[in-house]
Structures are given as structure tokens and as C-alpha cells.
Amino acid sequence: MFFKGNAAIPNQEAYLKLMRELGIVFNGTTLSERVDYYITMPSKNITEGIVFMRDAIVTPKFDEEEFKREIQVVIGEVDRNESNPFFWFLRAQEELLWFKHPTRKDVLGDRDTITTSTIKKMRTIQERYYVPNNSVLVIAGDVDPARAFADAEREFASWKPSKKDPHIAYPVPVHPALPATSSFVLHKQVQVPYVQVAWHGPSVRSDEKATYAADVLSFILGQPASAFQ
């Protein structure tokens, strides 16, 4: 919904027209620990691009009709995921691994959550988490750093930090440790069986340095030429 109408651009048609004029290609990704929106464009349009991103992030319109259409787009993502046997494998694993709060790691969401979404819920999420003190702006490419910093400072100056740090005001509950080793077998129409082992790693909130060690270890374990194999 950020890539549609906002306070400066009346609707998605005008939004797409401006993107064509500025040579913008846009996309976004969602993972369990972050969401990002990004645009790629000619560096000569850096100032206009920063304004474009500012308007999208700070003043989304959340038009009711566009929102209804976007719900169907996300339901289409659910359809595509559910057609893949590996999706059901990962979901079953996550439900065991994060047994108390399995939806915390579910970046897609289920059909009921998606179809019952409302503009009010979207505004709550935006006002709670889409704030400067929970965000980072990254500018990369063939640009003059001084100009880029000046443009960002000027255009985002009106976007004020929230008085409530979302990590303090709305703390994520600590997930309990796994009580025991468990396993499951999932039967689907596949040609090749798949085996996976998963475990709880160190938490970035309680032992940040250990998370880097865990990343390195898991990478080594996954290398076919590793002695651990």
C-alpha cells in the first residue's frame, strides 16, 4: 500500500506515471525481522527519488478500493505458496520450532488474517512501527554523498520520531526454549524426499555477538565440501 496513492500523489495511476517519468523500478521484501522498500533509478534524479520515497513512507493514503484489490494480490501469493509442497514442510517445522508463537515467524500470514485486514489495522501498524526511530534510509550508487545527505535531511525533516520506542512500548515476548527434541513426517506429492534439522539459535536481544558465530557455524554446516558433512 506504500506504492500507491499518498498525500502528494492522488492514486496509483498517477503514482505509476511519475515512476515512468523518473525511471523508477520499485519492489519490497518481508522477512521475519525486517521489511524493506526500495527504488532503483537514474542517479540524476536522486532528489526527486528521495521526495518520492518520503511521500510513500510518511503519507500513504490507504485508499479503501485499492486496499481491497491489494488483499486479493496477497491472497494470490498465498495460493502460489500453498501450491508448493515445500511451503507446507516449512510451516509444519515453524509450528514445532516456535510452538508458543508460530505466527511471529510467519511473514506471509494466513487467509483469515489477510482477508479480515482493515485500513484501521494498517494505520496502527504504520503509526507504531513505521517511524524514524525504527527505520533506516540507505542511499547507494553513483551519487554525490554531500547532496544525498542534504536531500535526505531536508526532505525527511518533517518525519518526527515516535515518542514511544516500539521495542520498549510493545516488547516482543521472549519465546521459551524447546522443551525436548521433536520431529515430524509430512507426506506430499514430491519426487525427492527432503530432510531438515532446525534449532533455536542465540537471540539478538540477549547475546548479539553469539548470533554472528551461529551464522558462521550454520553456513559451514551447509557447505557440501565441509568436513562436518
Side-chain angles (χ1 to χ4, degrees):
M1 292 302 295
F2 284 99
F3 291 118
K4 298 185 184 295
N6 54 55
I9 306 173
N11 51 48
Q12 190 179 27
E13 288 71 25
Y15 202 98
L16 295 174
K17 180 177 181 293
L18 180 58
M19 284 202 303
R20 289 192 295 269
E21 292 172 354
L22 296 178
I24 289 176
V25 176
F26 74 92
N27 211 330
T29 63
T30 305
L31 295 178
S32 59
E33 295 182 345
R34 60 131 178 90
V35 175
D36 67 70
Y37 303 98
Y38 58 88
I39 61 175
T40 304
M41 63 191 302
S43 58
K44 65 180 181 179
N45 295 332
I46 177 66
T47 301
E48 293 88 345
I50 290 175
V51 171
F52 179 89
M53 183 62 84
R54 186 273 318 279
D55 292 336
I57 296 297
V58 180
T59 65
K61 185 175 287 185
F62 288 123
D63 177 79
E64 190 72 49
E65 291 304 313
E66 289 187 342
F67 183 62
K68 290 178 182 178
R69 289 194 292 268
E70 196 62 26
I71 285 177
Q72 296 309 310
V73 172
V74 179
I75 287 295
E77 293 182 28
V78 175
D79 291 337
R80 290 191 296 274
N81 276 271
E82 290 184 349
S83 68
N84 185 344
F86 192 66
F87 166 81
W88 296 105
F89 179 85
L90 288 179
R91 174 157 285 188
Q93 175 186 283
E94 296 290 273
E95 288 176 353
L96 271 183
L97 198 61
W98 309 105
F99 58 94
K100 189 170 183 180
H101 306 293
T103 57
R104 180 191 300 177
K105 299 290 185 179
D106 184 2
V107 297
L108 179 63
D110 58 38
R111 290 178 183 274
D112 184 59
T113 301
I114 296 165
T115 56
T116 59
S117 294
T118 63
I119 297 297
K120 183 178 180 180
K121 290 180 180 179
M122 296 298 102
R123 287 291 182 193
T124 298
I125 293 171
Q126 180 204 4
E127 292 167 3
R128 183 175 295 183
Y129 298 107
Y130 287 73
V131 292
N133 37 337
N134 193 41
S135 306
V136 60
L137 175 67
V138 178
I139 302 173
D142 182 24
V143 297
D144 175 60
R147 178 185 174 188
F149 274 110
D151 286 346
E153 291 281 359
R154 181 185 65 253
E155 300 303 334
F156 280 91
S158 61
W159 192 28
K160 302 301 181 183
S162 171
K163 294 180 180 179
K164 294 181 178 180
D165 183 324
H167 297 287
I168 297 175
Y170 315 103
V172 177
V174 176
H175 198 286
L178 289 166
T181 298
S182 59
S183 62
F184 70 93
V185 177
L186 183 70
H187 293 279
K188 292 287 182 180
Q189 292 295 321
V190 296
Q191 301 300 314
V192 179
Y194 191 87
V195 178
Q196 184 159 303
V197 179
W199 57 88
H200 282 191
S203 170
V204 70
R205 291 185 296 169
S206 58
D207 194 352
E208 183 178 349
K209 290 182 179 180
T211 65
Y212 296 106
D215 281 343
V216 172
L217 175 61
S218 60
F219 181 82
I220 292 172
L221 292 173
Q223 300 307 296
S226 168
F228 289 103
Q229 289 275 354

